Amino acid sequence: MGIFTGTLCFLCFLLLLAKAVSRKFGLKKADRLFMKLHKPLSAVLFLLCPVHIFFVLRTPRAIWLSQTARLPRATQLSQTARLPGYLSGGCLFLCMLVLITLCHTCRDERRKLKQHRILSAMMLICALVHIGIGIFYTP
């Protein structure tokens, strides 16, 4: 279920990025469509991320490792499996929270757009690292 919710999160994120691509290539109808979808997709992504985190942390393997390791609770998380994946996912979620916060608090439109682009690029990098770790990293 964690992979399924992660895939849904990534698809929402790609649709959000499609807005920038459609604008860059001058696709006016697509740009208008993606602008209408931007806020609902952001909300879906914002709600899906904690669901993804819940399912990833509740995998049978993670539960089994934490129970059999007989370690203090603080070290169980690092022993469950993929700490780098957890860290990259946490950075991704943090970037998303900062992006949403800045977009709702910044009054200067030019500054807001610049921050939005920088944080979106950071989120893309974090997402690619997160997915790469999930595919290629073995503890």
Side-chain angles (χ1 to χ4, degrees), residues 117-133:
R117 288 177 180 162
I118 291 170
L119 286 165
S120 296
M122 288 173 59
M123 281 180 65
L124 178 61
I125 292 167
C126 288
L128 294 176
V129 168
H130 184 66
I131 292 168
I133 288 171

Side-chain angles (χ1 to χ4, degrees), residues 1 6 11 26-27 33 37 45-46 54 57 59 64 67 69 91 94 96 109 111 121-122 124 128 132 138:
M1 196 67 172
L11 289 175
L27 306 170
L33 172 69
L37 294 175
L45 180 62
F46 184 71
F54 173 78
L57 293 178
T59 60
W64 178 79
Q67 290 172 348
C91 289
L94 184 65
M96 183 177 65
E109 287 297 318
R111 186 174 176 200
M122 288 173 59
L124 178 61
L128 294 176
T138 54

Side-chain angles (χ1 to χ4, degrees), residues 43-78:
V44 169
L45 180 62
F46 184 71
L47 294 174
L48 269 178
C49 282
V51 173
H52 173 63
I53 292 167
F54 173 78
F55 282 118
V56 167
L57 293 178
R58 299 307 304 166
T59 60
R61 181 170 187 254
I63 294 168
W64 178 79
L65 283 172
S66 66
Q67 290 172 348
T68 58
R70 302 218 190 283
L71 296 170
R73 187 79 181 137
T75 58
Q76 285 179 1
L77 180 64
S78 64

Side-chain angles (χ1 to χ4, degrees), residues 10-137:
F10 190 62
L11 289 175
C12 285
F13 185 63
L14 288 179
L15 287 171
L16 287 169
L17 289 179
K19 162 73 176 94
V21 173
S22 66
R23 182 171 182 120
K24 201 66 149 167
F25 289 114
L27 306 170
K28 292 183 181 184
K29 286 185 180 181
D31 187 46
R32 275 185 257 136
L33 172 69
F34 286 124
M35 191 61 207
K36 288 179 184 176
L37 294 175
H38 199 75
K39 282 189 180 181
L41 280 172
S42 298
V44 169
L45 180 62
F46 184 71
L47 294 174
L48 269 178
C49 282
V51 173
H52 173 63
I53 292 167
F54 173 78
F55 282 118
V56 167
L57 293 178
R58 299 307 304 166
T59 60
R61 181 170 187 254
I63 294 168
W64 178 79
L65 283 172
S66 66
Q67 290 172 348
T68 58
R70 302 218 190 283
L71 296 170
R73 187 79 181 137
T75 58
Q76 285 179 1
L77 180 64
S78 64
Q79 295 294 323
T80 53
R82 300 180 174 183
L83 186 61
Y86 297 152
L87 294 175
S88 62
C91 289
L92 178 58
F93 190 64
L94 184 65
C95 284
M96 183 177 65
L97 290 177
V98 170
L99 174 67
I100 292 169
T101 303
L102 287 177
C103 282
H104 287 284
T105 58
C106 186
R107 300 285 182 231
D108 184 11
E109 287 297 318
R110 292 185 68 196
R111 186 174 176 200
K112 181 163 95 171
L113 187 59
K114 185 177 181 179
Q115 291 171 344
H116 192 283
R117 288 177 180 162
I118 291 170
L119 286 165
S120 296
M122 288 173 59
M123 281 180 65
L124 178 61
I125 292 167
C126 288
L128 294 176
V129 168
H130 184 66
I131 292 168
I133 288 171
I135 293 171
F136 300 111
Y137 178 77

